[in-house]
Every structure is written in structure tokens, then in C-alpha cells.
Amino acid sequence: MLGIDDFAIKKGHTYNTGIHDLRGETMLDQLSGRKLDALRAYAEQPPEFLTLNPKAVVMDLAQTYHTWISECFPRAIRIADRFHVHGYVNESVQAVRKSVQSTLSPRAKGILKSHHRLLNPPADSLPNKSQIQLEQLLAFSPLLREVWEWKESFSQWYDYSPNFHVAKLGFTRWCQQGEGIEHEAVQIALKTMRNWEEEIVNYHHCRWTNATVE
């Protein structure tokens, strides 16, 4: 099980790529850069890399990494990292929150803004006090509640799909749920999800993430 991710040498300017053994929780190697020509050049130099023959490789949604891994290990399962994927859904929730926030009274606007982070984690992971505050936020807007419930459904899909086949059906249903939410940010997120459906659902082949890499 390999994990591939970039990390900043100088944030916003220079990035390197780390290659990680997820089972052993170790960095195997790092290479300069994250562009495709640098990745291809690396694969041509040390023969040990191409002999790894991983069952699966976990990455974010950077097309460059997926192209490179498909060239180096065409039989490996490519998995879109769960936490990166979930970030796109959380971003759409926060985009809806901001649009709702602009329509509220000053007091309600302040409450929603100061507690907006409560919208991101799964509700059952929050302490009781935070759950009460969350319910107050959701009461401000039916649209906000709808997109939050859609986000919660995604967490449940990740946690409770028992196998790949069921997960694939559940992903389709989740996308259909999102289609009914009339907000541009949700539709943009859905387009990304559909474009990466195979890599997202592939998580349910072996349920690995890049948490160790992060």
C-alpha cells in the first residue's frame, strides 16, 4: 500500500513529492518537484521504485499523480484519499453557509459565523454542547440543513458501506441526493465527485487513507 503526496519546501512556490509505505508508516523516498516530467524522470532512475508492485496507491485528486501511477503501476488500485475528497464536500457546505449568512439578521449572522466550523465534522463526533449549537445553526435555513444532511450522508457512506458493490450503488444515490440541492457550490462539488467516481469508490476495496502521510 503506497501513499503519494506533495509537501511544501517553500509554500506557494516549491513542492516535493513523498512516497510512503502506508502499512509500515514510513517514508520510502522523496523527489524534487511534483510535475509530471519530474515524476517520470524519477521513475526512470532508481529501478527499485518500479519493482514495488503495490496493490493500491492512495493520492489526492491531482491528475498528475494519477497519470504517473497509472503509467508506473497500471494494475494498482488508485484510491482518492478520503479526507481530501471530503474536503470538497465541506467546502460546498461552507459556501452555502456564507450565502445564507448574508441574508440573516446581525445577531444570527454573528452566531453562524462564529460557530461555522461545527458544520464540518460528523455530528456524532461532537460533544453534547456542540450538537445543541449545531442545531441552532441549522435552524437558520432549510437550505443549510439540506446541504449539511447531504454532507452527513457522505460520511455515513464512507463509514458504513460494507463492500465495493454496495458502495458504488450508494455513491450514485448520494449524487442524486445532491442534485436536488439548488446551489452552485453543491453542483460544482458534484461535478468533481462524478469525474473521480472510480477513484473515490475504490476506497471500499481496501479502505486505506493518507492519514499517516499527513
Side-chain angles (χ1 to χ4, degrees):
M1 299 290 178
L2 292 183
I4 306 293
D5 202 7
D6 62 7
F7 57 95
I9 301 301
K10 184 178 181 183
K11 196 167 183 65
H13 297 276
T14 308
Y15 290 84
N16 283 357
T17 295
I19 302 167
H20 306 262
D21 170 13
L22 297 181
R23 289 188 187 276
E25 299 186 358
T26 58
M27 176 182 277
L28 298 176
D29 205 355
Q30 61 175 307
L31 60 113
S32 298
R34 59 179 180 178
K35 293 184 178 180
L36 190 55
D37 56 353
L39 300 173
R40 284 170 169 163
Y42 170 84
E44 293 174 356
Q45 293 172 9
E48 293 84 359
F49 176 69
L50 293 179
T51 64
L52 290 175
N53 192 29
K55 175 182 178 180
V57 184
V58 183
M59 300 161 280
D60 60 21
L61 300 186
Q63 183 61 60
T64 298
Y65 285 141
H66 285 266
T67 298
W68 181 51
I69 291 301
S70 65
E71 292 174 355
C72 294
F73 308 114
R75 298 170 67 178
I77 299 169
R78 288 182 291 109
I79 300 173
D81 181 56
R82 169 177 178 168
F83 299 104
H84 281 89
V85 172
H86 222 299
Y88 286 93
V89 178
N90 284 341
E91 286 174 8
S92 66
V93 173
Q94 292 299 334
V96 172
R97 185 266 305 173
K98 289 177 182 177
S99 63
V100 166
Q101 191 172 287
S102 66
T103 68
L104 300 177
S105 68
R107 180 178 177 276
K109 183 183 298 185
I111 293 172
L112 184 53
K113 184 176 182 179
S114 61
H115 296 292
H116 70 275
R117 289 185 178 85
L118 294 177
L119 296 167
N120 288 346
D124 58 10
S125 70
L126 296 172
N128 289 338
K129 181 180 178 181
S130 295
Q131 290 188 22
I132 293 171
Q133 292 172 325
L134 172 63
E135 184 57 35
Q136 182 184 17
L137 304 186
L138 298 177
F140 286 139
S141 164
L143 174 60
L144 183 59
R145 183 181 293 277
E146 186 178 21
V147 72
W148 177 83
E149 290 175 346
W150 177 65
K151 183 270 299 182
E152 286 289 287
S153 296
F154 200 45
S155 294
Q156 293 166 5
W157 173 80
Y158 264 117
D159 289 337
Y160 301 121
S161 297
N163 56 54
F164 177 81
H165 177 69
V166 172
K168 193 167 182 63
L169 295 175
F171 185 83
T172 298
R173 288 194 294 269
W174 177 78
C175 288
Q176 291 170 345
Q177 180 184 352
E179 288 169 0
I181 301 175
E182 296 183 0
H183 195 281
E184 182 183 10
V186 174
Q187 300 310 313
I188 290 173
L190 271 176
K191 183 177 180 180
T192 299
M193 299 298 108
R194 292 193 189 96
N195 288 342
W196 291 94
E197 176 177 352
E198 179 181 355
E199 291 79 7
I200 293 170
V201 180
N202 276 349
Y203 169 81
H204 294 280
H205 278 301
C206 44
R207 304 179 75 85
W208 283 86
T209 74
N210 268 351
T212 297
V213 173
E214 296 298 334

